[in-house]
Amino acid sequence: MEQIIIKDYETSDSRVNFGQVIQAGIVITDDKLNIKQKHELRCRLKPNVIPSIGASLVHGTSVDQLKNSNMSHYQMVRKHHKIIKDNTPAFISGFNNIAFDLEFTRRMYFKSLIPDFYQTNTRGNKHLDILNVARASKFADENALKTKLSEKGRPSFKLVDLCEANSIDNGTSHDAMTDCLNTIAVADIIYKKTNDIWKDALITTSRGDADTFILKNKVYTSLEYFYGRSVAFACHYLFDHPEWRWAINWDVKVDPTNYLEMDRQTLSKAIDSSPKILRTVKTNKSPVLLKADYALKTSNYSKISKEEIDRRVKILDNSPKFIELIKSILSDKAKEKMSMDQSELLFEETIYAGGLKLNPKDVALMNKFHEVGWEEKVNLIDKFSEERFQYFAECLIYEESPDVLPKSIYNKIHRNFAERLTSTNKEKWETTASFFSEVDTLRETKYKDNPEMLKIIDGYDKHVQEIKSRFENA
């Protein structure tokens, strides 16, 4: 693949289902990390979102920017989608982007009725997480990427700390564009100093590619991160998890002989015991998988002969009933866990609950929704086959052009958000109550003697007071 897209977000808070992106940095590079394009997108805060004061103080977006940026959130999302589309295929990359930015991308498309929820890993696009590659680089060569110690005395892989340790300075951290440029600089060090690791990381950037690598290697190295260091596990693939589709592997430092005759209950306990006999590789999460030698040279494996490892692998390959028992046990554990979580999902939480395939009629309506004016959008609301998409259509019109909504729909949506945002309960989203509580705590503790920060906090406080006043009498 000839290009890489590095993206970074600053958001209203960290809750992906209910927060929003307020700034996006998108940088397009070639395969050698030379910059070709830069795009910085900012948008206004949606009228039905309360920002987290903690997040606001980190990224430093001003109240004026939240209220008066040139683009609305919907406009920014559509522009974001077009930039990625115009530069597909690419490695979609970032720093810790799999766990955070990617989930925001999918949900902002989902709630904006852009049917291409999985744009970042379809049509040839693949995921590359520079955090995973940085940890692998450090594991392979202690001196390649410098790290500083955290307060607990462990190597820190926070982007801001890596930049400080490696003399990288593209501006103030926690600005989306700056963080993109800093991520590229970290990636460039890895590319130049541990190029083999960089190339290996590119091999497993999709589920299919990771699966292919695993099947080609009887034993391979999986890196897991514990307390500031990467630990290498020599893995032999057994099967895909029956519910999650992740690769389930046997750790070859464990002799399977002692487990073959265990009954179901005993084996189930053994699976949960520590040290673990099974290692899970989340093949859809951009794992860095390496040849077996990386793990086999570590102290956990170096005293086990190649002949003994081959023997253990052969035992596992010749024990299909044992493998099926493990699969059955893991399936039961997963189903039990899912059955315990019976809380009703709100529409914003249903991106994965509805399955991967959309009704073609709804896809056509979504595309039409973006082509027509706001008044005509209203006429499309009840044509969606799924209630959640009707709801998102109503929300988009409420956020972007509320005057065209019939009064009954406007009042319904307005009351819904009034109940949410002014709730005094602990909620899944930021409320006025949780915002003011955190503001009071910060005023009385961390920023008690900092007039400059107190003034900034007062500005956010006034803005949220204004938001609250719009909903109090709904």
Side-chain angles (χ1 to χ4, degrees):
M1 208 174 305
E2 296 183 355
Q3 61 185 6
I4 301 170
I5 298 176
I6 297 89
K7 60 188 184 69
D8 185 83
Y9 299 151
E10 300 304 328
T11 61
S12 63
D13 65 43
S14 61
R15 288 161 283 199
V16 296
N17 289 315
F18 300 98
Q20 72 160 91
V21 174
I22 55 177
Q23 184 199 14
I26 304 173
V27 180
I28 319 295
T29 77
D30 63 18
D31 59 353
K32 294 180 176 60
L33 297 166
N34 298 305
I35 295 173
K36 297 160 61 178
Q37 302 174 38
K38 294 181 187 178
H39 304 271
E40 182 178 2
L41 310 177
R42 277 193 182 273
C43 71
R44 299 185 291 276
L45 189 70
K46 295 199 290 185
N48 47 7
V49 170
I50 303 293
S52 158
I53 184 63
S56 299
L57 294 177
V58 168
H59 56 63
T61 301
S62 69
V63 172
D64 181 64
Q65 288 172 317
L66 293 178
K67 295 169 71 173
N68 300 314
S69 288
N70 290 334
M71 284 190 288
S72 69
H73 181 260
Y74 174 68
Q75 290 169 329
M76 186 204 72
V77 172
R78 292 194 67 196
K79 189 166 185 178
H80 180 292
H81 179 265
K82 186 177 187 304
I83 291 169
I84 304 298
K85 182 180 179 181
D86 289 347
N87 290 280
T88 293
F91 291 110
I92 310 297
S93 186
F95 198 88
N96 196 29
N97 61 308
I98 301 296
F100 186 74
D101 304 76
L102 166 66
E103 297 301 333
F104 259 105
T105 302
R106 288 178 173 173
R107 282 160 181 79
M108 71 184 188
Y109 288 173
F110 175 57
K111 292 186 287 184
S112 298
L113 295 179
I114 294 175
D116 202 7
F117 311 155
Y118 299 99
Q119 181 190 45
T120 59
N121 64 324
T122 56
R123 296 182 178 86
N125 290 329
K126 299 180 180 183
H127 292 150
L128 176 66
D129 195 325
I130 300 302
L131 172 59
N132 293 345
V133 191
R135 288 170 172 168
S137 174
K138 186 72 172 177
F139 169 80
D141 183 350
E142 178 68 27
N143 299 315
L145 192 64
K146 297 175 185 176
T147 53
K148 61 179 288 189
L149 297 180
S150 68
E151 292 180 357
K152 295 182 179 180
R154 299 164 182 160
S156 171
F157 283 85
K158 291 181 179 179
L159 180 59
V160 64
D161 290 339
L162 288 176
C163 289
E164 182 180 337
N166 292 278
S167 301
I168 296 168
D169 184 7
N170 287 294
T172 305
S173 294
H174 303 296
D175 169 88
M177 181 54 69
T178 297
D179 285 352
C180 282
L181 298 176
N182 286 344
T183 297
I184 293 170
V186 170
D188 189 56
I189 293 173
I190 300 167
Y191 177 84
K192 290 176 178 175
K193 293 190 175 182
T194 53
N195 191 254
D196 287 346
I197 294 296
W198 179 263
K199 290 177 180 177
D200 286 337
L202 299 184
I203 292 172
T204 54
T205 49
S206 71
R207 185 196 290 273
D209 290 343
D211 289 342
T212 298
F213 175 90
I214 290 170
L215 291 174
K216 282 183 176 179
N217 293 274
K218 277 286 186 181
V219 178
Y220 67 94
T221 297
S222 172
L223 297 176
E224 298 184 29
Y225 193 69
F226 301 100
Y227 305 111
R229 68 189 185 98
S230 292
V231 179
F233 292 93
C235 297
H236 174 62
Y237 170 76
L238 301 180
F239 55 83
D240 284 349
H241 192 288
E243 307 300 328
W244 315 130
R245 289 182 58 206
W246 295 330
I248 303 300
N249 307 270
W250 189 271
D251 184 347
V252 299
K253 73 171 174 284
V254 179
D255 187 345
T257 308
N258 302 325
Y259 297 83
L260 295 177
E261 301 304 322
M262 285 183 178
D263 60 31
R264 185 184 188 90
Q265 184 177 3
T266 306
L267 183 57
S268 179
K269 289 181 179 179
I271 288 171
D272 290 337
S273 298
S274 185
K276 300 291 185 183
I277 60 175
L278 302 179
R279 309 309 311 184
T280 300
V281 172
K282 298 179 179 180
T283 50
N284 62 332
K285 301 293 184 182
S286 185
V288 179
L289 305 178
L290 306 171
K291 295 292 187 181
D293 287 352
Y294 283 95
L296 296 180
K297 289 178 181 177
T298 65
S299 58
N300 286 333
Y301 300 90
S302 59
K303 294 180 180 179
I304 308 172
S305 69
K306 181 181 184 303
E307 291 74 21
E308 174 59 18
I309 288 175
D310 290 343
R311 185 189 70 84
R312 294 175 183 182
V313 168
K314 188 174 181 179
I315 288 173
L316 291 165
D317 288 346
N318 292 331
S319 304
K321 290 184 179 180
F322 176 64
I323 304 304
E324 282 301 315
L325 180 57
I326 294 175
K327 183 186 289 189
S328 176
I329 290 169
L330 293 184
S331 179
D332 286 350
K333 290 179 184 293
K335 289 175 181 176
E336 181 182 3
K337 184 177 180 180
M338 289 187 289
S339 68
M340 291 172 65
D341 185 10
Q342 294 294 331
S343 57
E344 185 176 352
L345 297 177
L346 296 170
F347 289 131
E348 289 90 343
E349 301 172 287
T350 62
I351 185 169
Y352 299 128
L356 296 179
K357 291 186 177 180
L358 298 178
N359 184 322
K361 175 189 171 186
D362 285 339
V363 172
L365 282 169
M366 288 179 187
N367 290 327
K368 184 176 181 180
F369 185 89
H370 303 301
E371 295 170 357
V372 301
W374 287 106
E375 290 187 359
E376 196 171 342
K377 282 176 170 58
V378 174
N379 298 326
L380 299 179
I381 292 173
D382 60 3
K383 290 181 169 58
F384 286 101
S385 67
E386 293 192 47
E387 188 180 356
R388 57 181 178 162
F389 297 139
Q390 295 177 10
Y391 167 75
F392 292 147
E394 292 172 344
C395 289
L396 284 169
I397 300 170
Y398 171 85
E399 293 162 8
E400 298 287 323
S401 187
D403 293 343
V404 306
L405 276 176
K407 197 68 175 174
S408 59
I409 296 178
Y410 176 88
N411 288 340
K412 178 186 70 173
I413 296 296
H414 190 66
R415 290 191 192 108
N416 173 55
F417 284 113
E419 290 176 10
R420 283 193 188 185
L421 301 184
T422 62
S423 170
T424 55
N425 299 324
K426 184 176 176 61
E427 302 288 3
K428 302 173 184 177
W429 50 84
E430 191 76 16
T431 63
T432 54
S434 62
F435 176 89
F436 294 134
S437 176
E438 188 175 0
V439 162
D440 289 343
T441 299
L442 290 173
R443 282 170 170 161
E444 295 167 7
T445 55
K446 187 174 182 178
Y447 299 115
K448 181 180 178 181
D449 300 314
N450 190 329
E452 183 179 347
M453 289 303 296
L454 288 174
K455 183 178 180 180
I456 293 171
I457 290 171
D458 287 346
Y460 287 116
D461 182 90
K462 181 180 178 182
H463 181 47
V464 176
Q465 292 281 8
E466 293 172 358
I467 297 173
K468 182 182 178 182
S469 67
R470 294 203 303 266
F471 287 103
E472 277 184 319
N473 299 316

